[in-house]
Amino acid sequence: MIKRLLLLLVLFFVLTNTTAQESTASKQVSTFTIEAPQLHTTKKIWVYLPKNYKNSQKKYSVLYMHDAQNLFDSKTSYVGEWNVDEKLDSINAQLIVIGIEHGNDKRMEELTPFQNDKYGGGNANAYLKFIVKTLKPQIDKKYRTKVKKKNTLIMGSSLGGLVSYYAILKYPQVFGKAGVFSPSFWFSDKIFDLVENTKKIKSKIYFLCGDNESEDMVTDLNKMERLLNTKRCYCLNLNEKKIVKGGQHNEKLWRDGFTNAILWLGY
């Protein structure tokens, strides 16, 4: 439990500290702020548009991601970004990405669906309601988006991986695909109970973790995969799992795994 807390604290500082570097975000990345009444605050939102967006009339699938400070710009990250914009450019991905900045000291509350006896949390319902009821309608109105569940993805790491997995359980009619990186399933056993009590899970899921993270990361991920497979036919190939040898709980692991996850999930 102590090791888990240390990992969360390290990640918190990684995601909240900045350096004096120049911005590395591409020209396709912009930001705006939006009221988040469900969270009683405002949120800064980062938007990545494909290179050909302005010269096209086509509609695009949308990927919602958490911890936006660490996705596009080394200036707003502490020990490296995910390089989401560069990686999507490299494969000419026809995909819009919406990055939601974490709530700093509220991050643990926002990204956890259930309370932990020691660390609190448990406000993910409000966070996801903000995404589904407030943010997504604005994105669909402002940009040319494909709105069906098969074209709406959600992805994150650590607590962001946990809340992304919870999102497909809470809003299966909204999110059809999820990238679940190094998920903090340890935060509460209730996430396992929720899956066990869910009749069917139809969303497509890409799991990623390293074998050099917390002591029970791989064990928990395998446990969740087995439980998930009782809710759908394994033959449908709706989930993929990648365990990286030597992989640690950091941006490098998630950055390196991002492109393969996008290609496998499809858009």
Side-chain angles (χ1 to χ4, degrees), residues 210-223:
D211 66 1
N212 195 26
E213 297 193 51
S214 63
E215 295 177 358
D216 48 9
M217 176 63 72
V218 174
T219 301
D220 283 350
L221 193 60
N222 288 338
K223 176 182 177 182

Side-chain angles (χ1 to χ4, degrees), residues 63-66 82 153-156 160 164 179 181 258 261-262 265:
L63 167 63
Y64 290 87
M65 300 186 71
H66 320 288
W82 283 41
L153 302 79
I154 191 165
M155 179 182 289
S164 295
F181 290 7
F258 176 75
I262 289 297
L265 287 168

